[in-house]
Amino acid sequence: TLLRAEGPTLSARIRSVDVTNRTVQFAMFVAWDQEPEEKTLPVAQDARIVLDGSEGKLSDLKGADDGPFAMLRLSLDQKVVQGIYIARGRN
């Protein structure tokens, strides 16, 4: 028997990426009538980065105030980003 547990996946806009410190700042959408919640979290060394269906690197990500829409997969404790998935055609 195999048991696998994963943290939540969030919809967010990438605001900035710090490749040296392996962190990503993002704006997480909580509700339509509220301002996005800003967070900065570390990115795991083995995090999966997928851009338009292809494997990428953290250094491939570019942030901005209206940065790319992404799905962020977090660790169980929600303190580390384990996956970043961006489909630019959906921005």
Side-chain angles (χ1 to χ4, degrees):
T1 302
L2 176 67
L3 178 63
R4 182 177 169 169
E6 294 182 349
T9 300
L10 307 175
S11 299
R13 283 212 179 264
I14 304 295
R15 296 288 199 221
S16 66
V17 178
D18 182 337
V19 176
T20 303
N21 294 314
R22 294 197 60 81
T23 61
V24 63
Q25 179 187 23
F26 57 92
M28 180 176 60
F29 303 100
V30 181
W32 289 108
D33 61 342
Q34 295 179 2
E35 290 294 315
E37 181 180 333
E38 298 277 339
K39 284 193 171 197
T40 301
L41 290 176
V43 178
Q45 285 290 342
D46 62 347
R48 186 165 186 213
I49 311 291
V50 179
L51 303 168
D52 295 325
S54 298
E55 294 292 325
K57 299 178 288 190
L58 189 60
S59 60
D60 295 332
L61 299 178
K62 305 295 180 230
D65 285 343
D66 63 345
F69 178 75
M71 301 301 290
L72 304 176
R73 187 172 50 83
L74 303 183
S75 59
L76 278 175
D77 64 4
Q78 301 181 29
K79 294 181 180 181
V80 178
V81 177
Q82 293 185 316
I84 301 174
Y85 307 90
I86 296 175
R88 290 187 182 109
R90 296 182 185 164
N91 286 339

